[in-house]
Amino acid sequence: KASPGSQGGAESAAAADGAATGSSTTAEDAEKKFSEFKSDEKYRIDYYDQDLIEFIKLMSEKFKVNFIMSDKIKGGKVTIVSPNAVTREEAWQAFLSVLESRDIALVKVGKFYKIIASKDAMANPMKTYLEGGETPASDDMITYIYKLKHIETADVDKILQKIKGKNGDIITFEPTSTFIITDTSVNIRRMVKIINELDLPSGRDAIHVIDIYYADAQEIADKLQTIFGDKGKGAATARKPTPRGRPGA
């Protein structure tokens, strides 16, 4: 296979180390540069001013995956500087990050991946996760469904709208306090972490029963009503405590 020359290429760490020690590069080593990424090896993936379309074709060979490319995908240049060897999985994440930086999304359909503009991803079938499902730490576009338990959707929606990706989408279903979020998986992980910190019962009103032993309960209820005003209306109610011994008696 022809070498991409100055446009970059990928090589296994073992082949690179051999070159560093002065050993000659064999035909087998040269072929290895352009063969499939293996899960049990590491690679240096350096690409300089690589044409985007050619880069996608090369990744199709490297990962042995089938792509369907939208005619809306335009060319451009790709540069990846990778002095450290990476695994097959890390190389795939780098590929997804390159696409995400160009507003391009991958949507899996059967044995193929559709390569489309991120803004069009919402109209295509994509993997959906329910609340509690483990989402990958990647730039894959996914949909996540989250149901609030304690706080109002309007309060959370204001925050999520500010931190979603530029091609992300958030739908609020008020009757069940549910969010349907479509964004990159890594950004959804961030959103869920924030929601979990906010969706707590501490912001809700609670009922507490406190027995009064030494003062008049109605008098205390009246004072609380005066202090809290409308917020305490109907909240402070006096009742005659059940007779029992004093604390510590």
Side-chain angles (χ1 to χ4, degrees):
K1 298 181 182 179
S3 169
S6 62
Q7 288 187 341
E11 60 182 342
S12 70
D17 291 341
T21 57
S23 62
S24 59
T25 302
T26 66
E28 182 180 354
D29 290 333
E31 179 67 20
K32 198 172 186 179
K33 284 187 177 183
F34 308 101
S35 62
E36 178 185 0
F37 283 150
K38 303 292 185 180
S39 59
D40 57 346
E41 294 188 31
K42 288 190 174 183
Y43 303 85
R44 293 194 177 106
I45 50 171
D46 289 297
Y47 297 94
Y48 299 94
D49 288 332
Q50 181 87 39
D51 177 76
L52 176 62
I53 305 301
E54 291 302 316
F55 175 72
I56 292 174
K57 291 179 179 178
L58 182 59
M59 291 298 101
S60 178
E61 289 186 27
K62 289 293 186 183
F63 293 102
K64 299 303 178 187
V65 295
N66 304 315
F67 291 137
I68 300 174
M69 198 176 308
S70 166
D71 58 2
K72 294 181 181 180
I73 304 303
K74 306 300 181 183
K77 297 297 183 180
V78 174
T79 296
I80 299 178
V81 180
S82 175
N84 300 314
V86 298
T87 64
R88 186 180 194 275
E89 177 63 24
E90 290 168 337
W92 177 256
Q93 296 307 324
F95 172 55
L96 292 180
S97 294
V98 168
L99 297 184
E100 196 272 336
S101 70
R102 304 301 297 269
D103 290 335
I104 298 172
L106 281 186
V107 178
K108 192 171 184 179
V109 181
K111 294 183 178 181
F112 288 83
Y113 283 93
K114 293 174 66 175
I115 300 180
I116 59 178
S118 294
K119 64 181 180 180
D120 298 329
M122 265 69 76
N124 285 266
M126 64 180 63
K127 194 164 186 179
T128 299
Y129 293 81
L130 300 180
E131 182 183 346
E134 183 66 24
T135 57
S138 71
D139 286 317
D140 285 310
M141 290 290 288
I142 66 170
T143 295
Y144 192 92
I145 299 176
Y146 191 106
K147 184 176 181 179
L148 295 177
K149 302 172 185 63
H150 305 289
I151 57 179
E152 300 296 329
T153 54
D155 297 330
V156 179
D157 185 62
K158 293 176 183 178
I159 298 172
L160 297 184
Q161 292 294 343
K162 291 182 179 180
I163 62 176
K164 71 179 179 66
K166 63 180 179 179
N167 294 305
D169 184 61
I170 299 173
I171 299 173
T172 304
F173 187 64
E174 293 284 354
T176 59
S177 299
T178 300
F179 287 105
I180 303 173
I181 309 170
T182 299
D183 208 328
T184 60
S185 181
V186 68
N187 204 35
I188 286 180
R189 286 165 69 102
R190 177 189 177 210
M191 291 184 190
V192 170
K193 186 175 181 179
I194 291 173
I195 294 174
N196 287 338
E197 290 297 321
L198 297 175
D199 191 23
L200 300 174
S202 58
R204 288 286 197 183
D205 291 335
I207 297 175
H208 300 277
V209 178
I210 303 174
D211 288 333
I212 305 299
Y213 296 98
Y214 304 108
D216 181 74
Q218 185 59 56
E219 183 180 344
I220 292 178
D222 292 341
K223 288 183 178 180
L224 289 175
Q225 192 70 59
T226 301
I227 294 172
F228 292 104
D230 291 338
K231 289 185 178 180
K233 189 174 183 180
T237 303
R239 68 173 178 82
K240 187 175 181 180
T242 301
R244 64 178 182 178
R246 291 184 178 180

